[in-house]
Amino acid sequence: MTQLWGGRFTGQADELLRKLNDSIGFDIRLYNEDIDGSIAWAKGLVGANVLTQDEADQICAGLEKVRKELADDTFELAAGDEDIHTAVERRLTEIVGSVGGKLHTGRSRNDQSATDFRLWVKRASKHIAAEIAALGHAMINHAEKHIETPMPGYTHLQHAQPVTWGHWLLGHFWPLVRDLERFKAVHNQADEMVLGSAAFAGTAFPVDREALAKDLGFSRITQNSLDGVSNRDYVADFLYASTMTGLHLSRLAEQLILFSSTEFSFVVIADAYSTGSSIMPQKKNPDTLELTRGKSGRILGDLTGFLATIKGLPSTYDKDLQEDKEPVFDAFDNLSLLLPVMTGVIDTITINPDKMASQLEAGLLATDLADYLVKKNLPFRQAHHVVGQIVQLGEVRNIPITDLSLEDLQEISDLFEEDVIEAFSVKGALAARNATGGTAPEAVKKQIVEARKALS
Amino acid sequence: MTQLWGGRFTGQADELLRKLNDSIGFDIRLYNEDIDGSIAWAKGLVGANVLTQDEADQICAGLEKVRKELADDTFELAAGDEDIHTAVERRLTEIVGSVGGKLHTGRSRNDQSATDFRLWVKRASKHIAAEIAALGHAMINHAEKHIETPMPGYTHLQHAQPVTWGHWLLGHFWPLVRDLERFKAVHNQADEMVLGSAAFAGTAFPVDREALAKDLGFSRITQNSLDGVSNRDYVADFLYASTMTGLHLSRLAEQLILFSSTEFSFVVIADAYSTGSSIMPQKKNPDTLELTRGKSGRILGDLTGFLATIKGLPSTYDKDLQEDKEPVFDAFDNLSLLLPVMTGVIDTITINPDKMASQLEAGLLATDLADYLVKKNLPFRQAHHVVGQIVQLGEVRNIPITDLSLEDLQEISDLFEEDVIEAFSVKGALAARNATGGTAPEAVKKQIVEARKALS
Amino acid sequence: MTQLWGGRFTGQADELLRKLNDSIGFDIRLYNEDIDGSIAWAKGLVGANVLTQDEADQICAGLEKVRKELADDTFELAAGDEDIHTAVERRLTEIVGSVGGKLHTGRSRNDQSATDFRLWVKRASKHIAAEIAALGHAMINHAEKHIETPMPGYTHLQHAQPVTWGHWLLGHFWPLVRDLERFKAVHNQADEMVLGSAAFAGTAFPVDREALAKDLGFSRITQNSLDGVSNRDYVADFLYASTMTGLHLSRLAEQLILFSSTEFSFVVIADAYSTGSSIMPQKKNPDTLELTRGKSGRILGDLTGFLATIKGLPSTYDKDLQEDKEPVFDAFDNLSLLLPVMTGVIDTITINPDKMASQLEAGLLATDLADYLVKKNLPFRQAHHVVGQIVQLGEVRNIPITDLSLEDLQEISDLFEEDVIEAFSVKGALAARNATGGTAPEAVKKQIVEARKALS
Amino acid sequence: MTQLWGGRFTGQADELLRKLNDSIGFDIRLYNEDIDGSIAWAKGLVGANVLTQDEADQICAGLEKVRKELADDTFELAAGDEDIHTAVERRLTEIVGSVGGKLHTGRSRNDQSATDFRLWVKRASKHIAAEIAALGHAMINHAEKHIETPMPGYTHLQHAQPVTWGHWLLGHFWPLVRDLERFKAVHNQADEMVLGSAAFAGTAFPVDREALAKDLGFSRITQNSLDGVSNRDYVADFLYASTMTGLHLSRLAEQLILFSSTEFSFVVIADAYSTGSSIMPQKKNPDTLELTRGKSGRILGDLTGFLATIKGLPSTYDKDLQEDKEPVFDAFDNLSLLLPVMTGVIDTITINPDKMASQLEAGLLATDLADYLVKKNLPFRQAHHVVGQIVQLGEVRNIPITDLSLEDLQEISDLFEEDVIEAFSVKGALAARNATGGTAPEAVKKQIVEARKALS
């Protein structure tokens, strides 16, 4: 079979060029969107008096037949099917005869493929958003059980102050809310109909673009035909949103890997999300989490590569733009796995409050000691300095600062009194941080209400 | 002078570490935001009964004095001023005495620096948005003069169909509208107050965070203190939005460079935006546009580097996050130059309609010829094929297809009649594409109305 | 069938985890290397007295049978075949019985998979190098025909000085020589045998690693077992070398796209490497070159993503490293197409010397005019300034500077004499630049000798 | 003062353009290289009979005077000094008069700046290589003291098998050897002289390029003038080599951060390389290591940004190439800090063998148990499975597998005999891995010899 644009060519298309040029290997995933777009276009052509209603009916019935073949996996690719658009039209024409050749009137693959891809990206964004929300719910549900479970909090991976496991986990929840906002923005960017831009100068047939947009579920239409066919911002936006979600998952994964090490032993990842070793029989490895971390790098590569590809391209259509689909499919496929897997990990994780508690050493309360002095009206800077000396004394004597005597403390500052003992309590330290967003159980309860609200 | 955290340390800080660790070299840019934040915090501490009104007044007056010194460039850095927060507090304490040491009560550099940077990013986003809008207006104004100036349109950099210069330029306008949306989203992401998160567990003093947010102009407060101090999504968002704007400018630059080559000669860049050669006296180089193209790569590097930096970091604060400011400053500084320069380029560009017209060869009307046949009821696919044969005939005879005789045409298809001549007119081709977003002067007029609306 | 590491697990492996975790979908490409490695290891185990010669013979025969099944595409994947190593060993054991279970003695998938991949990367580097060399030869052969074909040379895409087409094309040849050096370095980095590192601590069986290396064609062995299993520098090196080759091809493609525009018309890309338009019948698009440009961005993404993935990983093996293969396969597959296609493009390109000549306007000789004055002993800076005034005069009068009269010139500088006419010759300008590397035909002849030498 | 290329221009250069265009702010770092290049060029012009020896002497003396002013920081920038080349020549002409205007004969800023930068990159590569080697020596010296200090080895951050601290640290040494190879390759790529390429077509004056190269310390000359001025491969190579070194440091930093957490407590970073907290007085944070990890992302950004910048540029010189220096300076400055700081960290690190030993639990010897069974002739796969059951039994009973009785073991496999006890020894496990590159003290001793050799 000859190619779509075969009339003009005398030379034989080089075999390697075919392999390089053809996109059917990956854009076949767009078949539903392509057929949806074509059906809408056929209707539009009726309005423009290019097709009779009868012709449009034949075409639409033919297209549905093609769709069924593709869905049933009985569709057979022919030699010239370089992309999904060509393949569908070729098969349509075999089914309905030469009337099929009227379908491409007034449109181009440039606006057709952009329309298909926008439809796909819209659906993909919704799917990812749903998976993010599911993970968010899993995290809230888990956190809710642990708003009073203390653990050491870290900065610089050093013991810092006590927090609760519930509060800690919710620290990984809020990034997901921002991810949802980003995917919503992606959906909105994609939600603009290109059809009617033709190759890039606009269609020369009086198709009602607004009606077409409504028919296809787009909320608005593009305002400039050149920008319409060349715009891939929604692609970059999708890749960026995916990258950010990937990074958020990677950060959570990093920390769970750490917490599941023998030295921490704060959590146990369920067997279903772990794997073993081919050589070390005792191993139970958090492969799931490591792949999450690893694949977030890959999605960043998808983004970077695509941005480099579109940099410096002239307006309208250049073939470089064909490179838009594979990174998006790659990011989507990976996130579509990583998100539910992380939901599973959270749903089945076992935590070890005893191990966490065993790490709640006295040093974590040093800030509370400084706050104690502040309440005795010592300026914070001086309080901070005093406590620094106390910490040093503890280190010199090689004992926890809680084991220093009141006399020891008073030697450093005479503001210390009997009531200092109370300042050295994890429970007290937690309860004190009850401003909005703080780790106090009371505050976390309110946070959970807000978190649920953010997902709804 | 000792460092803030000096009480505890016995060893001498290594000189190289100082150089590595200190951020004062770049975060001094945040001094206004830092002082704004501290003034608000002082007021908050009054509400929390940590400071008396009188102490707060002293501190605020002192801070304003520090601000003045910084603004007047009379501020002198001291040895221990590792960052802007330390420098301001050190100088404050010199001015107001030990009461200055009370200011840091209940906060940490973690929530302080995040607050400063959010304030800065909010302002920066507004500034960039204003520059984008200015460029947008320049483009609309220029385009408006050329809605009937025909030029060859290109896909694959090959002559494709006629468009107008005004329509072409507006093809580069709409991406700016999307850039505005992205910077608005960045502003919204940054518009959340972190203060009150302290190191990461929440402040232990009853400061009214909502009042504080209002005071500082934030529209809402963070809901989780761990996420509050570790969240740098707004930084990544700023870098991503900047990258997209950079890429859009790069695409426009690429095409203007091309159009200002001798071979095209469609445009002349004003002398004020060009440079010469140190060896070739006749040269006039579009350096401005080349730097625009080049710097868009650099901003992409700022984004990629930062994303790689935050990948896999645990939650809360890790020092890696200090690497958040320089890429943002770099992207901001470069865009702050590139945008007004591009506005200047557009404002002063000279176009050469004759040269554009001279490239409007007959081949550009081939699609119109196909559309002619479609209107004679030939299915588009066959029409496309017929015109392909005509193009080939022109090439074989080495004449423009407009010079083929009616008989020549009719030998290929008997649908051709006398009226085909009218189909071969640039004016007709332009006028035919009058759907929304099309290149027809009438459509472009409407587009300009929409464009102005999009900026307001 | 149970997994390799099945003994320890009670939970059911989650279906999604399987999909996330399994690498058989892509690492099946390593089957030859895996079997080569296993055969060598079996021999090594004989030397270590773990296997008898007879057992090794059975195993090797079995492995060859597995290889044949894989080559003939009769190999059937089983449920637990998570990667190529598992699949091969599973099938081996089916064929040879329990003796197959002895093969994994003293090794781990960690050193096994690294060995496989190093073997593959070595072969891949050689393949790419051969394709680069083939392109280099095509370029030299083409250039050789055009060492006297003048064309305008450009800087900043502006007319600058005359060069020859042969010299210009060779400007894109030398980057390939550097690419060859880089791929040679990649080969050398990969050419180190890891086997015998086991999981990461070293094998506990006395296998002769040097003999093993020789057997597998490695030139040396790794010196530290932890680094051995975690080192992926050769992967990054391969991706970097591929990126650079991609960028070089992209730069050449960019310029050929430009030169094949109607406005330039310097070259015609053969039909076999062009495509048409679905809507514009006259179009002939340089898709091949655009995809070359586009795919170079994608390879850059492969590199960036991988670098982000390995950043911050601890030493030894983390599952993140499984992400090493797909970017390499992607880069390899794309370069394996792009290189021969570019060779084909060069082999079949038609150049249009008349069009090039028509662009050789007088301004290109301005430098020669300055050099003329220098030879009259005017300091270059002043000469440059004088010629600048001449160029301006030509612009004011709207005539080429060659059309200015001697009197006109003398009014600007009295150093001009009759012999200035000769300075205005393209042939003279070319011939004057005959230092090594210059555009003079004589110099290009020598360059071609050096170019051929560089490939041999 | 007018610009170098001022003769031709009538418009006023826009102020923003100046800011955008000028590179003097950063390329002033190249002043030594620029002056070296100019002195060599002056000598070359004598050979080409463009300058008399006396003129060259004046120029060279003048250039040395300029150099002194720059070194002493008494050089005053003038308004038109857009880059270092212009600034030096302007000042030179002020000093020596109009003869200074002869210096630029036959060269262009294109070949001049490429020459300067190559000289700088050569020196920079040597400097970084020396710092890498210093770190390497520090690691070897430290490792040498700990070839018998056992610690748990990890894969997937899970306990795996015992190794020694010395062996572990050397696992981070070998990547540095590869870094040295890469910087050597960078040096070699930069070591090619461009001078004599002029703007891009070659110089028209008979300067002896080979002599010039020798004079400037280049080992060879470029073979194509177009490639000469446009080639920035050595820049990309430098950035890539820097990125890899950064990643290697980042991996080491990541692990030391982990090992210095309270939960691990394997190492203590010296106070000199740590910092404190502004709010938590007890904190001692590994900021140095975190910045190392963070800055490695930034260097990756330098690389990515530059690669995106050069993608798709035509050959010869485009102004985009001015973006080559800042990423290199940034990477260099950061590595120049990170490397000696890491050397300092290693030189002063305290390790805690007791903590390491306390983590050497029985599970780490599971592989040795499997090897024991293999030596009793059980195929490894079955041995692996048996040990898996033993591990599970230990978990069920909640005791270390070393506490299982011989009867327990024999119930699972009758191959276990009295001598199994010896297989459960850390010392034995270490000693068994004595193949080249293994963790056995004996093997590590040999490794250290090889490591020293690799640095010499």
Side-chain angles (χ1 to χ4, degrees), chain C residues 376-398:
Chain C
K376 303 269 173 180
N377 214 22
L378 191 70
F380 178 75
R381 273 296 158 231
Q382 294 170 41
H384 185 273
H385 201 80
V386 166
V387 179
Q389 291 173 300
I390 292 169
V391 169
Q392 210 167 11
L393 183 64
E395 286 197 1
V396 166
R397 298 223 192 133
N398 201 22

Side-chain angles (χ1 to χ4, degrees), chain C residues 277-336:
Chain C
S277 156
S278 72
I279 184 171
M280 294 165 290
Q282 87 288 6
K283 290 291 295 295
K284 188 173 137 183
N285 296 327
D287 289 44
T288 301
L289 298 168
E290 294 171 280
L291 285 168
T292 299
R293 206 173 47 185
K295 282 175 185 296
S296 83
R298 169 194 191 130
I299 299 174
L300 167 53
D302 290 329
L303 170 66
T304 306
F306 181 68
L307 293 177
T309 293
I310 58 174
K311 179 191 169 297
L313 286 191
S315 50
T316 80
Y317 189 80
D318 302 280
K319 188 75 168 205
D320 317 51
L321 294 179
Q322 182 168 299
E323 291 292 307
D324 60 353
K325 288 178 202 68
E326 284 169 290
V328 167
F329 291 159
D330 189 66
F332 175 80
D333 290 344
N334 278 293
L335 276 188
S336 294

Side-chain angles (χ1 to χ4, degrees), chain A residues 14 21 36 94 167 332 339 430-431 439:
Chain A
D14 186 88
N21 188 61
D36 288 346
E94 288 172 3
H167 187 53
F332 175 81
L339 283 161
L430 292 175
T439 197

Side-chain angles (χ1 to χ4, degrees), chain D residues 143-318:
Chain D
E144 203 165 23
K145 295 177 209 149
H146 295 287
I147 63 177
E148 306 206 40
T149 310
M151 69 180 285
Y154 302 79
T155 58
H156 308 262
L157 207 65
Q158 293 291 315
H159 281 184
Q161 295 172 351
V163 291
T164 65
W165 175 255
H167 186 53
W168 175 87
L169 186 60
L170 289 171
H172 287 279
F173 164 81
W174 294 97
L176 300 182
V177 174
R178 297 189 292 271
D179 289 331
L180 286 175
E181 286 165 18
R182 264 183 291 266
F183 276 104
K184 203 172 153 189
V186 173
H187 187 278
N188 183 49
Q189 282 292 344
D191 195 18
E192 194 168 67
M193 197 199 61
V194 180
L195 219 48
S197 301
F200 70 101
T203 186
F205 295 84
V207 174
D208 181 344
R209 295 187 68 214
E210 291 286 2
L212 212 50
K214 210 173 156 189
D215 200 13
L216 285 167
F218 284 103
S219 72
R220 62 197 191 283
I221 63 173
T222 53
Q223 297 293 330
N224 180 293
S225 55
L226 290 105
D227 179 50
V229 300
S230 75
N231 175 16
R232 290 297 182 280
D233 280 21
Y234 61 98
V235 175
D237 289 351
F238 183 90
L239 292 170
Y240 173 65
S242 298
T243 298
M244 291 305 291
T245 300
L247 294 187
H248 293 146
L249 295 177
S250 174
R251 297 181 71 164
L252 174 56
E254 166 78 5
Q255 209 146 15
L256 291 179
I257 290 167
L258 208 57
F259 285 173
S260 65
S261 69
T262 302
E263 285 73 9
F264 278 84
S265 293
F266 286 1
V267 302
V268 179
I269 310 298
D271 278 10
Y273 296 96
S274 306
T275 59
S277 157
S278 73
I279 184 171
M280 293 165 291
Q282 87 288 5
K283 291 290 295 294
K284 187 172 137 184
N285 296 326
D287 288 46
T288 302
L289 298 169
E290 293 171 282
L291 285 168
T292 298
R293 204 172 50 183
K295 281 175 185 295
S296 84
R298 169 195 190 129
I299 299 174
L300 168 54
D302 290 329
L303 169 68
T304 307
F306 181 68
L307 294 176
T309 293
I310 57 173
K311 179 191 167 299
L313 286 190
S315 50
T316 81
Y317 189 79
D318 302 278

Side-chain angles (χ1 to χ4, degrees), chain C residues 7-190:
Chain C
R8 184 185 177 287
F9 281 75
T10 51
Q12 265 300 79
D14 185 271
E15 200 45 44
L16 286 168
L17 165 63
R18 176 69 39 87
K19 221 168 150 186
L20 182 64
N21 188 59
D22 287 4
S23 57
I24 186 73
F26 51 86
D27 67 14
I28 198 165
R29 287 178 73 156
L30 302 176
Y31 78 84
N32 260 314
E33 288 78 11
D34 194 68
I35 289 169
D36 289 345
S38 286
I39 287 173
W41 186 246
K43 290 185 205 163
L45 289 178
V46 173
N49 290 319
V50 173
L51 293 182
T52 64
Q53 185 61 49
D54 184 56
E55 286 173 327
D57 288 347
Q58 283 176 59
I59 286 173
C60 293
L63 286 166
E64 290 297 357
K65 205 164 165 198
V66 177
R67 190 201 305 266
K68 199 168 170 345
E69 289 180 9
L70 280 154
D72 296 349
D73 216 8
T74 61
F75 185 95
E76 278 177 40
L77 282 177
D81 291 353
E82 59 177 287
D83 55 29
I84 183 63
H85 326 298
T86 314
V88 168
E89 188 180 326
R90 186 262 313 155
R91 183 72 190 112
L92 170 69
T93 307
E94 289 171 4
I95 293 172
V96 304
S98 69
V99 67
K102 294 191 169 183
L103 176 61
H104 209 55
T105 310
R107 73 173 178 180
S108 154
R109 279 188 297 183
N110 294 355
D111 59 344
Q112 184 183 3
S113 75
T115 302
D116 292 3
F117 201 29
R118 281 173 174 269
L119 285 170
W120 194 92
V121 167
K122 283 174 66 179
R123 289 168 191 176
S125 299
K126 287 206 163 167
H127 177 77
I128 298 291
E131 292 290 356
I132 291 172
L135 172 56
H137 282 298
M139 289 170 78
I140 296 173
N141 292 341
H142 183 93
E144 201 164 24
K145 294 178 207 148
H146 294 288
I147 63 177
E148 305 207 39
T149 309
M151 69 180 285
Y154 302 79
T155 58
H156 307 261
L157 207 65
Q158 294 291 315
H159 281 184
Q161 296 173 351
V163 291
T164 64
W165 175 255
H167 186 53
W168 175 87
L169 186 60
L170 289 172
H172 287 279
F173 165 80
W174 293 98
L176 300 182
V177 174
R178 297 190 290 273
D179 290 331
L180 286 175
E181 286 165 18
R182 265 182 291 267
F183 275 104
K184 204 173 152 188
V186 173
H187 187 277
N188 183 49
Q189 283 291 344

Side-chain angles (χ1 to χ4, degrees), chain D residues 16-69:
Chain D
L16 286 168
L17 165 63
R18 175 69 38 86
K19 220 168 148 186
L20 183 64
N21 189 59
D22 287 4
S23 56
I24 186 72
F26 50 86
D27 66 15
I28 199 165
R29 286 178 74 156
L30 302 176
Y31 78 84
N32 261 316
E33 289 76 13
D34 194 67
I35 290 170
D36 289 346
S38 285
I39 288 174
W41 186 245
K43 291 185 203 163
L45 288 178
V46 174
N49 291 318
V50 173
L51 294 181
T52 63
Q53 184 63 50
D54 184 57
E55 287 173 326
D57 289 347
Q58 284 176 59
I59 285 172
C60 292
L63 285 167
E64 289 297 358
K65 208 166 161 196
V66 177
R67 191 202 305 264
K68 199 170 170 342
E69 290 180 9

Side-chain angles (χ1 to χ4, degrees), chain B residues 181-355:
Chain B
E181 286 165 17
R182 263 183 292 266
F183 276 104
K184 205 172 151 188
V186 173
H187 187 277
N188 184 49
Q189 283 291 344
D191 195 18
E192 195 166 66
M193 197 199 61
V194 180
L195 219 49
S197 301
F200 70 100
T203 185
F205 295 84
V207 174
D208 182 343
R209 293 187 70 214
E210 291 287 1
L212 209 52
K214 210 173 157 190
D215 199 11
L216 285 168
F218 284 102
S219 71
R220 62 197 191 285
I221 63 173
T222 52
Q223 296 295 329
N224 180 293
S225 55
L226 290 105
D227 181 49
V229 300
S230 76
N231 175 15
R232 291 297 184 278
D233 279 21
Y234 61 98
V235 174
D237 288 351
F238 183 89
L239 292 171
Y240 173 65
S242 298
T243 298
M244 290 306 289
T245 301
L247 294 188
H248 293 146
L249 295 177
S250 174
R251 297 182 70 163
L252 176 55
E254 166 80 5
Q255 208 145 17
L256 292 178
I257 289 168
L258 209 56
F259 286 173
S260 66
S261 69
T262 303
E263 285 73 9
F264 278 84
S265 293
F266 286 2
V267 304
V268 179
I269 309 300
D271 278 9
Y273 295 97
S274 306
T275 58
S277 157
S278 71
I279 184 172
M280 294 166 290
Q282 87 289 5
K283 291 292 296 292
K284 188 173 137 183
N285 296 326
D287 288 46
T288 302
L289 300 168
E290 293 170 281
L291 285 167
T292 298
R293 204 173 47 184
K295 281 175 186 297
S296 83
R298 170 194 189 129
I299 299 173
L300 167 53
D302 290 330
L303 170 66
T304 307
F306 181 68
L307 294 176
T309 293
I310 58 174
K311 179 190 169 297
L313 286 191
S315 51
T316 81
Y317 188 79
D318 302 279
K319 187 75 168 205
D320 318 49
L321 293 179
Q322 182 169 298
E323 291 292 307
D324 61 352
K325 288 179 201 68
E326 285 170 289
V328 167
F329 291 160
D330 189 67
F332 175 80
D333 290 344
N334 277 294
L335 276 189
S336 293
L337 278 177
L338 296 178
L339 283 161
V341 163
M342 186 61 91
T343 303
V345 167
I346 297 296
D347 275 340
T348 60
I349 203 166
T350 307
I351 74 157
N352 194 339
D354 291 347
K355 277 283 181 179

Side-chain angles (χ1 to χ4, degrees), chain A residues 64-84:
Chain A
E64 290 296 359
K65 207 166 163 198
V66 176
R67 190 201 305 265
K68 198 169 171 342
E69 290 180 7
L70 280 154
D72 297 349
D73 216 8
T74 61
F75 186 94
E76 279 178 39
L77 282 177
D81 291 353
E82 58 178 285
D83 55 28
I84 183 64

